[in-house]
């Protein structure tokens, strides 16, 4: 079945450092790919998405590119802020469905 | 703004009790979902519903049931709560149309079963 693997955390960075959180997936066909973020005490909210190969999703300075050849969707940000501290989830939906399959989540801690 | 509201943020129940978790959405979404979130396991789908009175099992339905009598409301029921059901429960909703099927989440209910 479909699955998502993302790097284990926690990831601890200093403010203004570069961020990469790796995400790879296994799926049949052409899934849509998502990054969700969960701030402390809140539910998940969509950060960005990409629906086909080579699409780049971006939002709030975060970017991720749908790479079909490497089945990856790595999350990147050039300069993190303390307010980016959260749990980040990579997820996919199958080509014909709308059920989300999540990775285990990566905790990001940004220190000032 | 889409709003998905879960009735309780925190619940403490005893083993064997029947527990109801309620979720309401205000965007006329066809789909509604219940997940549980556990550290290191991400979110796992318990049940989902794509229409009123319709339901489908997710990946971990054992020990749970659901009810969807109205489009905006989706209830998760623990028939006889057990300690291994201590977890964070998240409700979500979305449109059916694939191009608009972003899921919107509630704030979660943290359930402790003692």
């Amino acid at each position: 079945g479909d699955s998502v693997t993302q790097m284990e955390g926690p990831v601890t960075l200093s403010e203004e450092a570069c961020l990469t959180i790796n995400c790879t997936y296994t799926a049949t066909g052409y899934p849509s790919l998502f990054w969700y973020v969960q701030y402390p005490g809140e539910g998940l909210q969509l950060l960005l998405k990409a629906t086909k190969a080579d699409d780049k999703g971006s939002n709030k300075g975060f970017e991720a590119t749908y790479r079909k050849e490497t089945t990856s969707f790595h999350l990147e940000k050039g300069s993190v802020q303390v307010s980016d501290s959260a749990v980040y989830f990579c997820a996919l939906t199958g080509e014909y469905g709308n059920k989300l399959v999540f990775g285990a989540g990566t905790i990001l801690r940004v220190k000032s | 703004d889409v709003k998905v509201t879960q009735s309780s943020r925190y619940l403490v129940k005893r083993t064997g009790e029947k527990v109801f978790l309620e979720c309401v959405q205000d965007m006329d979404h066809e789909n509604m979902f219940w997940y549980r979130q556990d550290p290191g396991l991400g979110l796992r789908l318990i049940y989902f519903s794509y229409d009123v009175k319709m339901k489908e099992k997710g990946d971990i339905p054992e020990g749970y049931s659901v009810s969807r009598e109205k489009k905006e409301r989706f209830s998760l029921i623990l028939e006889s709560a057990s300690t291994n059901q201590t977890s964070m429960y998240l409700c979500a909703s979305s449109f059916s149309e694939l191009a608009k099927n972003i899921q919107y989440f509630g704030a979660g209910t943290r359930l402790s079963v003692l």
Side-chain angles (χ1 to χ4, degrees), chain A:
Chain A
D2 297 345
S3 67
V4 175
T5 303
Q6 59 183 106
M7 64 189 285
E8 289 189 28
V11 174
T12 303
L13 296 173
S14 297
E15 209 165 19
E16 299 184 4
C18 294
L19 169 71
T20 300
I21 300 178
N22 292 333
C23 171
T24 57
Y25 67 90
T26 302
T28 54
Y30 300 92
S32 295
L33 303 174
F34 303 82
W35 278 100
Y36 278 82
V37 59
Q38 184 179 33
Y39 297 105
E42 299 183 13
L44 277 70
Q45 56 185 273
L46 179 69
L47 181 60
L48 54 85
K49 71 172 189 174
T51 56
K52 60 183 188 295
D54 300 324
D55 265 3
K56 179 186 281 189
S58 62
N59 186 23
K60 298 182 181 179
F62 290 90
E63 292 183 339
T65 301
Y66 189 144
R67 301 281 188 206
K68 190 155 179 65
E69 64 276 12
T70 55
T71 61
S72 65
F73 192 55
H74 305 320
L75 182 68
E76 298 177 327
K77 188 175 186 183
S79 175
V80 295
Q81 306 300 312
V82 172
S83 57
D84 294 326
S85 298
V87 184
Y88 292 82
F89 292 94
C90 186
L92 66 81
T93 57
E95 188 174 5
Y96 299 107
N98 49 26
K99 289 190 291 179
L100 277 167
V101 175
F102 285 90
T106 302
I107 297 171
L108 172 64
R109 297 183 180 134
V110 181
K111 301 188 296 185
S112 59

Side-chain angles (χ1 to χ4, degrees), chain B residues 14-97:
Chain B
R14 297 209 175 273
T15 302
E17 278 192 75
K18 191 169 186 175
V19 181
F20 293 86
L21 303 183
E22 306 286 347
C23 176
V24 176
Q25 51 95 4
D26 66 357
M27 274 299 290
D28 204 34
H29 286 163
E30 295 90 3
N31 299 328
M32 296 190 74
F33 307 82
W34 275 106
Y35 297 90
R36 63 177 282 175
Q37 180 181 5
D38 299 290
L41 296 177
L43 276 72
R44 293 177 292 167
L45 182 64
I46 304 171
Y47 267 97
F48 70 101
S49 168
Y50 51 89
D51 201 352
V52 175
K53 297 192 187 294
M54 306 302 287
K55 61 185 180 185
E56 283 200 25
K57 294 180 180 179
D59 301 317
I60 52 165
E62 296 78 18
Y64 303 94
S65 62
V66 290
S67 172
R68 189 151 181 219
E69 296 296 318
K70 294 185 178 181
K71 191 174 186 179
E72 67 271 18
R73 186 179 295 271
F74 192 36
S75 302
L76 180 68
I77 303 155
L78 286 65
E79 297 290 343
S80 177
S82 64
T83 55
N84 63 11
Q85 293 178 309
T86 292
S87 187
M88 171 72 89
Y89 290 88
L90 290 166
C91 175
S93 68
S94 73
F95 287 115
S96 285
E97 183 183 341

